[in-house]
Amino acid sequence: MNNFTYHNPVQIVFGKGTIGQLASLIPAGKKILMTYGGGSIKQNGVYDQVKQALAGRARLEFGGIEPNPRYETLMKAVKICRSEKVDFLLSVGGGSVLDGTKFIAAAAFFEGNDPWDILAKNAPINKALPIGCVLTLPATGSEMNMFSVVSRDSTQEKLAFANPQVFPQFSILDPETNFTLPERQTRNGVADAFAHVLEQYLTYPANAPLQDRQAEAILLTLTEEGPKVLKQPRDYAARANLAWSATLALNGLIACGVPQDWTTHMIGHELTALYGLDHAQTLVVVMPAVWKHQKQAKAQKLAQYAERVWGVTGGDQAGQAIARTEQFFQSLGMKTRLSEYGIGSERFEEMGERLARRGSKLGEHQAIGKKEVIEILRLCGPLGA
Ligand code: NZQ
Ligand code: ZN
């Protein structure tokens, strides 16, 4: 096992009716800016619950944060934070609202020229506004981590940053708020969380049996609870298990001391930036292709995963692992080929170029550069292939 530091300061408040605890979670006297998305919270009662919990508190609102939050929109909120002297941000919605809020929190105190440098140039963040979260969509794990992914229209980029200053102080997870999720978002959430575990697990053996088994436990839980929720959207127990699995999939715990491979996410972000596919839609197309390309290097972990998660004990275990994963994604109702989205190979070269330009090679062995990215994209089943 490699050396590691693990620090996670996020307080999780989990369960039915927990939004009512907001007033005690946000320190008295704070001027709050509540951030939200396109309006789902107004339709499902979450907005009213928050409003009631914070009655009598100084509160401004900023709505309209898009899925794959846009820098252009977020900068409007940064302006409000500065002019209104906001001193607490409350994100109410899915991962996009929270990621956007993390960016707003850091940008509000940014001293350089353009806060986009936080994403594009890894500019330092010395201070950020405190953040609280009411999460309405289990998927990203953003509620218990320090990551944020932001898109910029003008350059068609989708970039991530990580900084301990943007850990939420608390996240409220009430699984009842997930009852109103459209099926597409529910299945996206299952697939995203599943992919998060695999990006931290499916590399090579690192003498980390505990982390391996923690990862496998999350994967198995997702394979059981995901389909239940799709069948019974108001099954509270299944929603709750799904929500907690998604949080643990990317809160840093299973990453302790093990190699990671975020190739699928990096290529996926390019597909979202250029074609507008949902985040999880990109992952289920790209991940099997990455594994096919890296089958030799990942053979041992693919075999372990085949056996422990899918019960495959003999034959071509690595090949079976890939096939069973694709079947699982398809069983959720997801497309696993670029051709199904009408996407061809026209921009593969450009995607490979963009990723290569950003610096170090991808993969647990840093073996994936421009050439390999293009080869992987060709394995994603482009139109006409
Ligand atoms: O905008 P509203 O109206 O709120 O509707 C949203 C949105 O249209 C809707 N929704 C959310 N909760 C709902 C609901 N509809 C009905 N009932 C509810 N309870 O769902 C739609 C999608 O929301 P979004 O926040 O975009 O989805 P998700 O949580 O999957 O977030 C995706 C974003 O997170 C990033 C992705 O790249 C993408 O930009 N990621 C962030 C990570 C992190 N911070 O650690 C890691 C991930 O790998 C991921 O990259
Ligand atoms: Zn993801």
Side-chain angles (χ1 to χ4, degrees), residues 2-3 12 65 116 135 138 149 172 188 190 195 199 203 216 243 285 310 318 370 374-375 382:
N2 301 325
N3 293 358
I12 297 289
I65 297 178
W116 182 249
L135 190 80
V149 191
I172 294 180
N188 279 352
V190 176
E199 301 268 48
T203 55
E216 289 152 4
V285 171
W310 299 112
K370 178 180 168 183
I374 295 169
E375 287 165 1

Side-chain angles (χ1 to χ4, degrees), residues 301-323:
K301 282 310 267 294
L302 279 168
Q304 179 179 317
Y305 162 68
E307 185 162 341
R308 294 193 188 170
V309 175
W310 299 112
V312 177
T313 50
D316 172 16
Q317 283 178 301
Q320 279 294 310
I322 299 169

Side-chain angles (χ1 to χ4, degrees), residues 139-140 149 191-193 195-196 199 250 262 265 269 279-280 283:
T140 63
V149 191
D192 192 21
H196 291 160
E199 301 268 48
L250 196 51
W262 289 90
H265 269 69
H269 288 175
H279 173 61
L283 305 178

Side-chain angles (χ1 to χ4, degrees), residues 48-63:
D48 291 336
Q49 287 186 57
V50 171
K51 218 170 130 181
Q52 199 183 337
L54 293 177
R57 304 285 290 264
R59 188 175 59 83
L60 302 169
E61 291 180 12
F62 182 83

Side-chain angles (χ1 to χ4, degrees), residues 252-289:
L253 194 61
I254 61 170
C256 289
V258 302
Q260 302 180 48
D261 171 14
W262 289 90
T263 303
T264 296
H265 269 69
M266 290 301 104
I267 298 177
H269 288 175
E270 293 303 312
L271 285 167
T272 298
L274 295 184
Y275 293 103
L277 263 54
D278 293 351
H279 173 61
Q281 290 176 338
T282 69
L283 305 178
V284 308
V285 171
V286 177
M287 185 163 269

